[in-house]
Amino acid sequence: MTTYIAPVRDMMFVLNELADLQEVGALPGCEEVNPELVESILDEAGKFASEIIAPLNASGDRQGSRLEKDGAVKSPEGFKQAYRKFVENGWGALSCPPEFGGQGLPQIVAKPVQEMWKAANLSFSLCPMLTQGAIEALVHHASPQLRETFLPKMVSGEWRGTMNLTEPQAGSDLAAVRSRAEPEGDHYRIYGMKIFITWGEQDLTGNIVHLVLARLPDAPEGVKGISLFVVPKFLVNPDGSLGRRNDLQCVSLEHKMGIHASPTAVMAYGDKEGAIGYLVGQPNRGLEYMFTMMNHARLAVGLEGLAISDRAYQQALNYAKERVQGRALTQPGAGRVTIIHHPDVRRMLMSMKSQVEAMRAVAYLTAGYMDQAARHPDKTERARYQGLVDFMTPVVKGWCTENSIEITSTGIQVHGGMGFIEETGACQHMRDARITTIYEGTTGIQANDLIGRKMARENGTTLKVLLEIMRADQAKVARVSDPDFNAIAASQNAGLDAVAECAEWVVKTYHQDPAQAAAVAVPFLMLIGTVCGGWQMGRAALVARERLAAQEGDESFHKAKIKTSRFYADHILPRAVAYRHAVVQGAEDALALEENQF
Amino acid sequence: MSVLVIAEHDNSALRPATLNAVTAAAQLGGEVHVLVAGSGCGAAAGAAATVAGVAKVRTADAPHYKEQLAENLAALVVSLASGYSHILAPATTFGKNFLPRVAALLDVAQISDIVSVVSADTFVRPIYAGNAMATVQSKDAIKVITVRTTAFDAAAAGGGGGAVEAVGAAADAGVSKLLGQELTKSDRPELTAARIIVSGGRGMGSGENFKLLEALADKLGAAIGASRAAVDAGFVPNDYQVGQTGKIVAPELYIAVGISGAIQHLAGMKDSKVIVAINKDMEAPIFQVADYGLVADLFQAVPELTAALDK
Amino acid sequence: MKVLVPVKRVVDYNVKVRVKADGTGVDIANVKMSMNPFDEIAVEEAMRLREAGTVTEIVAVSLGPTACQETLRTALAMGADRAILVETGVELQPLAVAKCLKALVARESPQLVILGKQAIDDDSNQTGQMLAALLGWPQGTFASKVKIAGGGAEVIREIDGGLETLSLQLPAIITTDLRLNEPRYVTLPNIMKAKKKPLDTVKPEDLGVDVTPRLATLKVEEPPKRKAGARVADVNELVQKLRNEAKVIS
Ligand SMILES: Cc1cc2nc3c(=O)[nH]c(=O)nc-3n(C[C@H](O)[C@H](O)[C@H](O)COP(=O)(O)OP(=O)(O)OC[C@H]3O[C@@H](n4cnc5c(N)ncnc54)[C@H](O)[C@@H]3O)c2cc1C
């Protein structure tokens, strides 16, 4: 079993050279943010991830969280101590608002750190991540009193939060939520069943703050009739101490394919007298509030795809350097070699490495856009960046998570038979990765969002802006006279043409026949992701070339960057052409059969 | 010019490490002298005089040398240094403790832990936990050196006929005091001198389980060692530790039981003549240096091995 | 009481170094660097002494190129109050380091200097002892327990035969062994605070110290490689091989 080493060097390269850390550092409230600070944060977080969290990944997978008597959940060995350390060391509060005890660091710092937690131990990372989501919901929408009561302890990590959206009949379609909330004095009584609630019950913290979607008695049907409530496991006394147990319970835990350590709970609210809950914000605006946090949560799950891919890559690389099998094609006379000498193993490792680096660049870039959208002093700039964030979020979520399934699978392939054996640890990454394309909105839902709200509704304006930026960067690559750069530029050009053509097709088709557009929404999403990856890898190659010319920095790293970019251009980016074909030619084919012909 | 070796001893006898240092000293050219500083250390001095190759033993017998405190010992050595081209001590906790003081007071570098003598001013020493071997040359007038004992054979402990000469004591620095010692008592051979070592790692699971190794060691007349993980876990005392920062050993047979084989552990034992690894994790790096690897549950294999030795 | 804690920037504990092909050294150009683990223990011990009320100020010192600032920032984030970098591009050997530290001790007048017992790169295990000699101070090397009381230090040391306890007059030098403590993880709030703590830079010349190396490294080579041997199927085969093939047991 290999451990996880945080790729701080590549992270810093992306932050400094591609994702504009400097510009974020110039934003109001980010004055302290500079490369040195960020590097020391990443170094220490990386150490914590490697030494405290990563060692619990395999054992947590084996043991899983277990349901005990009376609906209590026992987390795997070591999780409680690790969580306590995590909280004591302040990691949970990294991006939380300073007024509630957080460090207020921007997303461009938070996201690389999150990547580390996720790569080290996806199950573990979900616990702080969902708390983060709940904190954001309260910060933006809850009354001052609710904020005072819950936020300081959630930011400090003493309590943690959950998200209770899904019900048996309401998954992708949250409009179908049926849980009820009945007013009673200054609070509500909540009744209903929630399923698939991540870390819905646990033994890591003293209290659990559930955010629950439910309907008021007089609420209109559909999306406009859902409200958001805070429902704590233990009621909180006026002096802040824990009071009586609320009427809510974990009634079972799911048996899952992966993320075994993360308990996925069925939660029953109000089996007895009704669970006491407090309304967040205005009645009937619950889904809207959820949507304001959606970008964060979705980007975070996109990061999971990136993180687990990197973990799988590290594991495969280690194995490839150790496993001796066969002789080198070029030196058949010499002795047996480690498998990294075999060209096909090289190809697999390159495909993992190049996609991981491309995803990292696109994800951090989006995190930087998020900070600009939130903090830029100029209103029009904020709006421009918000457009980019809204556009990129479903892409990062869908593309990175779909890729992770392929990449973790390749990781197994590199191992050969040992990859299929659980002890090796390669399987776990693939099993864990598999949830990422599903929760927080399936890839299909991301793609619908992309072609509908983010494309058709604004006639593709944001994508046009993005295309212009990408074209300009491609032109810079094309100007370099060097075979690697020529190849990258040519591949980028084909990808950009594909995007331009498909963008037009999607906008036009969506307005005429949305079902046709939706039928190829996922290939369209993958096209955008793949081409954005190629764009960033091209920029990375340009920077690397500059550094090499100036004889600055890490020569071998920069040379590898150029070659990795070239590999992406030759092996991964050409998929754009195939996606284009599916998008502009294939919609009708997907819908061609009658239901009874299947 | 002569070479001075500082003897490690307990006043009544020499510690074996001294003999390895004498061998290294003999390779430098020049007479080998041995300093025995202690209190009532006549017997140790006598023993030193019989070591093959030792031309002269100088002995400083005074109460404040009884405990070999670094401050006092260093001052004494410095007072004697002028006639010597080299001053050597074994790279044990004894030698490592005081010899750098000598070097600093003489304003010369110390060359730590040498594993071979290339010439009178050039030596090979391991760096990076033995992952690299550096050949270094000293430009100083006096070379102050600690000697990795496993890299040099022990000089014969009898048959020599060196003269014994008393030297005056230096002043007592009086800044430190020994309050007590807690030495591990054992009938088994000392780790650094043992022909066979049985060593346990984290895989042993508890200190109690080291009994399994004791039974095996008793059969083999072996010493018992441990990895850092086992010592950190409190299974056995610190002086069992073999590794980069523990003891360096090179027995004829090293049996590693439940030891994964971190670089830092390998650094302390990879010069053993024959290495056996018993570990249930077939991927454990220890197998990469083992002459004989047995993938097995140690709780089964060790008692079986102990029993099989009777047959 | 003031404590000085020297910290060295070294190749990270987990990195397996490779010898350069030209034999001039090991390749450290692009490898991860960290604080020497024994020095982390030293900083931690100083922190514990401060938490116990014995120590009032912790000054971290590093010597070497500008990049050593990172190591000092780590020490500051662990809890040191301020830092001093003795900046030089010259390869520093223990004697030179001890001389620079002696000069800093003269400036700072600490009662205690806590150092790691050895650095995991050159494995010299000399600096603390040399500094003690140059200052004429007592030393407690390879410490596994430290107690400061009644104007002195009581140090339990790890020695080859077991443990011994020394009583030292202050000021004194202590060098740390592995089991002295387990260093804490740096917390995020402390990383943020570390940026605002003072870090001064001096040059060896400012301290009046000649740091010219005394030892010349002529070459650096790979150690002889041990080949992995054979797997044996069971205990009987093992015993048979040890008896008849290796002939190490009878
Ligand atoms: C391990 C795990 C943890 C989870 N954690 C939480 C949690 O903490 N909190 C929480 O509230 N929920 C959680 N969920 C629920 C998760 O968000 C939903 O499972 C997910 O949104 C999909 O909903 P569904 O399972 O009902 O699938 P369905 O909505 O039934 O989807 C089935 C298939 O139909 C497709 N589909 C559905 N509608 C459309 C559409 N309009 N257009 C195109 N395709 C469509 C989907 O893409 C999918 O392929 C978790 C789920 C799991 C498995």
Side-chain angles (χ1 to χ4, degrees):
Chain A
M1 201 77 51
T2 51
T3 176
Y4 166 71
I5 309 280
V8 175
R9 186 167 40 183
D10 195 56
M11 289 174 160
M12 287 308 297
F13 176 85
V14 172
L15 291 177
N16 284 329
E17 312 288 4
L18 306 178
D20 290 330
L21 178 61
Q22 258 95 347
E23 280 180 28
V24 172
L27 293 173
C30 295
E31 293 77 9
E32 293 189 332
V33 176
N34 59 50
E36 291 75 44
L37 174 75
V38 174
E39 189 160 358
S40 41
I41 291 175
L42 296 191
D43 275 339
E44 294 301 333
K47 199 163 138 191
F48 193 89
S50 302
E51 294 175 13
I52 303 289
I53 306 184
L56 302 174
N57 194 42
S59 58
D61 179 56
R62 257 180 272 119
Q63 293 170 22
S65 278
R66 287 193 315 269
L67 187 64
E68 313 256 276
K69 286 201 306 284
D70 311 326
V73 168
K74 192 169 171 6
S75 56
E77 235 167 84
F79 272 56
K80 213 166 164 169
Q81 294 85 327
Y83 182 75
R84 193 175 328 117
K85 269 200 187 135
F86 182 87
V87 162
E88 278 169 9
N89 285 280
W91 294 115
L94 189 139
S95 61
C96 298
E99 58 268 37
F100 298 106
Q103 293 295 342
L105 287 166
Q107 292 304 317
I108 203 165
V109 184
K111 289 295 177 266
V113 172
Q114 273 184 21
E115 181 192 323
M116 294 181 188
W117 311 144
K118 290 172 179 307
N121 191 328
L122 185 55
S123 287
F124 180 93
S125 76
L126 292 172
C127 186
M129 169 184 139
L130 283 152
T131 305
Q132 195 65 41
I135 288 172
E136 260 153 43
L138 294 180
V139 167
H140 289 116
H141 307 294
S143 67
Q145 198 206 335
L146 284 182
R147 291 207 297 242
E148 282 304 300
T149 308
F150 292 103
L151 281 176
K153 293 220 163 101
M154 292 172 77
V155 169
S156 76
E158 206 175 317
W159 300 346
R160 56 163 311 273
T162 70
M163 295 303 225
N164 289 243
L165 284 57
T166 308
E167 295 177 10
Q169 77 295 343
S172 297
D173 178 15
L174 289 172
V177 160
R178 266 198 229 133
S179 290
R180 296 179 292 124
E182 291 178 1
E184 182 185 278
D186 67 342
H187 57 259
Y188 294 79
R189 293 277 177 181
I190 312 288
Y191 303 90
M193 167 85 79
K194 293 286 175 182
I195 64 165
F196 295 160
I197 305 310
T198 299
W199 288 98
E201 179 55 59
Q202 38 84 4
D203 57 356
L204 306 182
T205 59
N207 203 2
I208 306 177
V209 182
H210 299 286
L211 288 196
V212 181
L213 286 183
R215 286 180 183 281
L216 292 170
D218 53 354
E221 276 299 297
V223 290
K224 296 228 151 54
I226 296 171
S227 306
L228 181 64
F229 298 89
V230 187
V231 189
K233 176 175 166 184
F234 289 98
L235 297 174
V236 182
N237 296 324
D239 67 354
S241 64
L242 289 189
R244 161 164 82 72
R245 183 78 156 78
N246 205 354
D247 178 17
L248 58 94
Q249 214 190 1
C250 166
V251 292
S252 79
L253 291 187
E254 305 293 347
H255 298 275
K256 307 190 294 288
M257 174 180 184
I259 54 167
H260 289 152
S262 160
T264 303
V266 177
M267 300 296 297
Y269 289 87
D271 272 358
K272 297 176 209 132
E273 68 278 9
I276 291 180
Y278 310 95
L279 181 68
V280 176
Q282 305 290 316
N284 299 331
R285 294 183 61 183
L287 269 192
E288 189 189 321
Y289 298 157
M290 282 287 137
F291 273 104
T292 59
M293 304 154 19
M294 201 86 96
N295 283 339
H296 278 284
R298 292 189 164 173
L299 190 59
V301 176
L303 274 177
E304 291 177 2
L306 157 64
I308 199 105
S309 299
D310 188 35
R311 181 82 193 256
Y313 167 64
Q314 292 191 18
Q315 168 133 11
L317 177 62
N318 269 310
Y319 190 79
K321 284 181 172 174
E322 277 171 14
R323 167 72 174 168
V324 174
Q325 193 69 196
R327 292 168 201 278
L329 268 179
T330 45
Q331 280 179 297
R336 296 205 154 72
V337 294
T338 47
I339 57 173
I340 196 169
H341 289 91
H342 300 311
D344 185 55
V345 173
R346 285 291 172 107
R347 180 195 57 78
M348 289 192 277
L349 291 171
M350 282 299 278
S351 108
M352 297 175 85
K353 176 176 160 66
S354 65
Q355 294 189 80
V356 163
E357 291 179 14
M359 291 192 290
R360 181 171 293 126
V362 175
Y364 292 7
L365 188 74
T366 308
Y369 289 165
M370 239 169 191
D371 293 321
Q372 297 279 3
R375 304 186 192 230
H376 200 287
D378 183 293
K379 197 166 151 232
T380 33
E381 280 298 286
R382 281 205 302 275
R384 188 174 76 88
Y385 279 112
Q386 190 58 49
L388 288 167
V389 172
D390 291 342
F391 182 86
M392 288 308 293
T393 299
V395 173
V396 172
K397 180 356 176 142
W399 174 62
C400 291
T401 59
E402 290 289 339
N403 283 348
S404 76
I405 295 171
E406 175 196 321
I407 294 167
T408 52
S409 173
T410 306
I412 291 179
Q413 193 69 18
V414 169
H415 286 76
M418 283 310 291
F420 197 67
I421 305 301
E422 282 287 358
E423 280 102 277
T424 313
C427 305
Q428 187 194 347
H429 305 319
M430 188 174 182
R431 288 188 287 99
D432 285 355
R434 198 62 195 81
I435 185 59
T436 60
T437 62
I438 297 169
Y439 59 18
E440 208 54 61
T442 61
T443 311
I445 295 298
Q446 305 303 320
N448 282 351
D449 179 44
L450 179 67
I451 61 164
R453 221 172 325 216
K454 313 294 166 67
M455 287 284 299
R457 191 196 272 184
E458 53 157 49
N459 288 316
T461 315
T462 304
L463 180 53
K464 276 190 201 117
V465 173
L466 195 61
L467 255 175
E468 255 169 56
I469 305 174
M470 293 198 280
R471 290 267 189 218
D473 284 333
Q474 187 272 343
K476 289 183 201 153
V477 177
R479 277 200 291 275
V480 178
S481 58
D482 171 289
D484 286 331
F485 285 78
N486 297 345
I488 296 169
S491 184
Q492 281 183 323
N493 196 44
L496 290 169
D497 286 349
V499 169
E501 187 183 350
C502 291
E504 211 171 299
W505 184 92
V506 163
V507 170
K508 191 179 77 213
T509 312
Y510 193 91
H511 290 308
Q512 292 164 357
D513 184 355
Q516 292 253 346
V520 292
V522 169
F524 179 71
L525 180 151
M526 295 299 288
L527 165 68
I528 303 290
T530 307
V531 171
C532 285
W535 163 43
Q536 290 305 314
M537 289 306 280
R539 290 184 66 206
L542 283 172
V543 173
R545 186 182 157 83
E546 271 171 38
R547 296 284 172 275
L548 285 168
Q551 296 190 315
E552 282 169 8
D554 184 339
E555 184 185 336
S556 139
F557 176 83
H558 290 129
K559 285 186 170 161
K561 222 9 151 189
I562 295 175
K563 292 296 177 189
T564 308
S565 174
R566 169 80 192 260
F567 180 94
Y568 189 93
D570 286 338
H571 286 253
I572 310 294
L573 191 46
R575 293 176 188 179
V577 178
Y579 290 133
R580 177 215 146 262
H581 191 96
V583 171
V584 300
Q585 303 281 332
E588 275 178 27
D589 315 337
L591 304 174
L593 301 191
E594 296 296 328
E595 199 174 326
N596 62 13
Q597 286 178 287
F598 279 96
Chain B
M1 292 285 260
S2 320
V3 178
L4 183 65
V5 174
I6 319 300
E8 180 172 354
H9 64 91
D10 63 2
N11 291 313
S12 51
L14 288 182
R15 293 217 186 282
T18 309
L19 303 176
N20 307 97
V22 166
T23 302
Q27 296 177 11
L28 294 165
E31 263 184 19
V32 177
H33 296 182
V34 173
L35 171 68
V36 176
S39 174
C41 58
T50 67
V51 173
V54 172
K56 195 196 292 181
V57 173
R58 308 183 76 182
T59 170
D61 204 325
H64 61 277
Y65 296 132
K66 177 159 187 269
E67 284 135 2
Q68 323 258 326
L69 293 169
E71 296 80 0
N72 288 336
L73 192 53
L76 172 68
V77 175
V78 169
S79 75
L80 302 173
S82 61
Y84 293 101
S85 59
H86 298 77
I87 299 176
L88 275 66
T92 56
T93 53
F94 162 79
K96 291 175 189 169
N97 187 40
F98 80 93
L99 203 63
R101 280 189 90 108
V102 173
L105 293 173
L106 295 173
D107 193 26
V108 302
Q110 176 182 288
I111 308 140
S112 292
D113 223 10
I114 65 162
V115 295
S116 90
V117 173
V118 178
S119 70
D121 66 0
T122 304
F123 312 91
V124 180
R125 59 177 303 264
I127 53 176
Y128 290 94
N131 283 303
M133 306 302 285
T135 304
V136 295
Q137 185 176 38
S138 164
K139 297 163 190 159
D140 291 318
I142 303 180
K143 278 79 177 165
V144 173
I145 296 168
T146 62
V147 175
R148 177 170 287 204
T149 53
T150 54
F152 296 89
D153 292 335
V164 179
E165 164 197 301
V167 295
D172 180 0
V175 288
S176 59
K177 216 170 51 228
L178 180 72
L179 299 182
Q181 283 188 330
E182 213 180 292
L183 301 183
T184 306
K185 287 190 197 64
S186 162
D187 301 332
R188 297 198 182 80
E190 240 185 81
L191 252 185
T192 45
R195 199 183 69 82
I196 301 180
I197 293 173
V198 179
S199 211
R202 200 203 297 279
M204 296 305 297
S206 72
E208 183 65 17
N209 291 335
F210 265 73
K211 291 224 168 81
L212 293 177
L213 300 190
E214 288 167 14
L216 175 60
D218 287 344
K219 278 271 160 64
L220 291 167
I224 294 189
S227 71
R228 176 185 168 190
V231 177
D232 282 357
F235 299 169
V236 287
N238 63 281
D239 50 297
Y240 281 47
Q241 183 179 324
V242 171
Q244 179 186 18
T245 63
K247 288 187 177 128
I248 309 288
V249 300
E252 282 188 32
L253 174 60
Y254 188 91
I255 305 182
V257 181
I259 290 179
S260 65
I263 300 175
Q264 290 77 12
H265 184 75
L266 301 183
M269 45 66 80
K270 69 179 165 33
D271 294 327
S272 306
K273 190 164 152 252
V274 174
I275 296 174
V276 170
I278 302 177
N279 201 308
K280 68 169 186 239
D281 175 9
M282 59 189 290
E283 299 288 314
I286 189 79
F287 286 119
Q288 289 166 16
V289 300
D291 299 285
Y292 302 106
L294 175 60
V295 179
D297 181 356
L298 71 95
F299 295 104
Q300 226 171 335
V302 173
E304 240 179 86
L305 178 57
T306 311
L309 291 171
D310 280 335
K311 284 183 225 156
Chain C
M1 167 192 306
K2 190 194 277 189
V3 182
L4 213 64
V5 185
V7 294
K8 185 174 185 185
R9 179 173 180 266
V10 298
V11 171
D12 187 79
Y13 186 78
N14 291 305
V15 172
K16 189 164 190 298
V17 295
R18 278 177 238 283
V19 171
K20 283 195 220 164
D22 64 3
T24 56
V26 300
D27 196 355
I28 58 165
N30 301 312
V31 303
K32 182 168 157 49
M33 307 294 282
S34 297
M35 187 189 295
N36 181 38
F38 289 96
D39 304 349
E40 281 184 13
I41 295 174
V43 178
E44 176 67 32
E45 195 61 19
M47 288 296 297
R48 291 186 187 193
L49 290 172
R50 189 170 62 191
E51 283 155 7
T54 317
V55 161
T56 46
E57 191 184 15
I58 301 170
V59 183
V61 182
S62 192
L63 303 94
T66 321
C68 296
Q69 284 187 3
E70 291 163 24
T71 314
L72 286 171
R73 289 287 171 207
T74 306
L76 293 171
M78 286 179 78
D81 298 293
R82 58 193 177 86
I84 303 171
L85 171 63
V86 181
E87 191 175 1
T88 172
V90 178
E91 177 218 325
L92 290 175
Q93 294 179 349
L95 183 61
V97 173
K99 287 179 177 178
C100 292
L101 290 175
K102 181 189 175 200
L104 286 177
V105 166
R107 287 188 177 191
E108 296 282 340
S109 320
Q111 285 293 92
L112 210 53
V113 182
I114 309 180
L115 308 88
K117 79 165 179 182
Q118 81 192 65
I120 60 166
D121 50 3
D122 61 22
D123 284 334
S124 286
N125 195 333
Q126 301 172 5
T127 307
Q129 297 90 314
M130 286 181 156
L131 176 60
L134 295 177
L135 290 166
W137 289 7
Q139 66 182 46
T141 55
F142 326 145
S144 68
K145 193 163 184 177
V146 173
K147 203 165 82 194
I148 307 289
E154 212 176 282
V155 178
I156 300 187
R157 308 178 54 230
E158 297 200 355
I159 56 172
D160 287 340
L163 297 171
E164 73 175 28
T165 309
L166 289 184
S167 151
L168 310 177
Q169 284 177 13
L170 294 181
I173 301 290
I174 288 169
T175 77
T176 63
D177 216 319
L178 290 170
R179 279 163 288 273
L180 179 57
N181 60 49
E182 208 176 302
R184 67 196 61 194
Y185 285 89
V186 171
T187 71
L188 180 61
N190 284 342
I191 298 173
M192 308 289 290
K193 280 186 213 140
K195 294 285 145 187
K196 301 192 183 91
K197 293 181 179 173
L199 192 161
D200 298 323
T201 301
V202 295
K203 301 246 186 281
E205 305 85 87
D206 307 336
L207 300 173
V209 176
D210 174 8
V211 293
T212 314
R214 300 293 188 84
L215 294 180
T217 299
L218 304 183
K219 66 177 174 207
V220 174
E221 298 162 293
E222 294 269 354
K225 278 252 154 36
R226 250 197 117 89
K227 286 239 176 59
R231 296 286 165 101
V232 291
D234 54 26
V235 165
N236 286 332
E237 187 186 344
L238 176 62
V239 172
Q240 183 264 323
K241 287 258 165 72
L242 289 178
R243 278 192 178 131
N244 306 328
E245 196 175 89
K247 300 191 167 64
V248 284
I249 60 172
S250 50

